[in-house]
């Protein structure tokens, strides 16, 4: 195991760092979006999770999460062609930047329908996060150790997830 870790290609280390923080951001979004939108769009008080306005915000979060999934599905249909034209790394970088812009824009949007535009960026990032690291990584790994390294790489998803569970008090 130590030899495997010692011999991990640089590309995998770099992708692992990006993947770790990408998933960390997604977990934070999944946990805190309802509270944030309730306060920012429905103007509820912080911690007010029993009001009708908070419940309306929660219902709207379900809608916009479905919307980003639709955007992700649509983007994934053209993602390969974009990567062929721009390169995998450039495509991944631009997709993550659009996702970050989408997340950041949510702070400035005070209209529930304006959040749909924010979800365009999130959906683009979501599609790229699910596909591009593996496409980039598969070209950088030795074929004889592909399965082992892909398994190790998946820890960049599971570690942030387990930390989130601990913060929520269930570890």
């Amino acid at each position: 195991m130590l030899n495997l870790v010692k011999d991990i290609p640089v590309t995998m280390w770099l992708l692992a760092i990006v993947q770790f923080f990408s998933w960390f951001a997604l977990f934070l979004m999944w946990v805190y979006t309802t509270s944030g939108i309730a306060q920012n769009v429905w103007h509820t008080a912080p911690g007010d999770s029993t009001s009708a306005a908070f419940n309306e915000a929660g219902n709207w979060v379900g809608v916009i999460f479905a919307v980003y999934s639709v955007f992700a599905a649509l983007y994934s249909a053209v993602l390969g062609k974009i990567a062929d034209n721009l390169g995998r790394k450039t495509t991944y970088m631009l997709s993550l930047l659009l996702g970050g812009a989408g997340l950041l824009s949510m702070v400035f949007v005070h209209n529930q329908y304006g959040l749909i535009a924010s979800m365009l960026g999130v959906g683009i990032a979501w599609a790229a996060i699910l596909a591009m690291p593996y496409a980039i990584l598969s070209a950088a790994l030795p074929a004889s150790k592909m399965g082992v390294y892909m398994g190790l790489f998946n820890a960049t998803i599971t570690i942030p997830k387990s930390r989130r569970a601990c913060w929520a008090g269930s570890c």
Side-chain angles (χ1 to χ4, degrees):
M1 184 66 161
L2 289 175
N3 284 337
L4 278 174
V5 172
K6 184 181 74 170
D7 295 334
I8 290 176
V10 172
T11 300
M12 184 169 161
W13 284 114
L14 296 173
L15 280 171
I17 292 167
V18 172
Q19 190 78 331
F20 177 88
F21 285 105
S22 298
W23 279 94
F24 191 76
L26 289 168
F27 293 134
L28 291 174
M29 179 189 76
W30 294 327
V31 170
Y32 295 110
T33 298
T34 300
S35 295
I37 288 176
Q39 290 174 41
N40 197 36
V41 177
W42 271 266
H43 309 293
T44 63
D48 175 16
S49 61
T50 58
S51 70
F54 186 90
N55 287 321
E56 286 181 47
N59 291 337
W60 189 249
V61 168
V63 170
I64 62 172
F65 279 9
V67 166
Y68 91 70
S69 296
V70 169
F71 287 146
L74 295 172
Y75 185 65
S76 67
V78 297
L79 186 58
K81 291 183 196 281
I82 294 170
D84 287 344
N85 289 331
L86 299 178
R88 292 175 181 172
K89 291 178 184 177
T90 302
T91 300
Y92 188 40
M93 177 193 67
L94 292 174
S95 299
L96 291 178
L97 287 172
L98 288 170
L103 281 175
L104 186 60
S105 73
M106 293 173 71
V107 173
F108 303 102
V109 175
H110 301 288
N111 175 295
Q112 70 188 74
Y113 300 104
L115 293 168
I116 292 171
S118 299
M119 291 298 110
L120 176 62
V122 174
I124 287 170
W126 177 242
I129 288 167
L130 294 178
M132 293 311 298
Y134 299 98
I136 295 167
L137 195 56
S138 66
L141 295 176
S144 63
K145 296 180 183 173
M146 182 79 65
V148 173
Y149 280 133
M150 287 292 189
L152 287 173
F153 185 70
N154 279 326
T156 63
I157 298 169
T158 57
I159 291 171
K161 185 176 181 180
S162 66
R163 296 296 350 138
R164 182 190 135 258
C166 287
W167 291 334
S170 61
C171 66

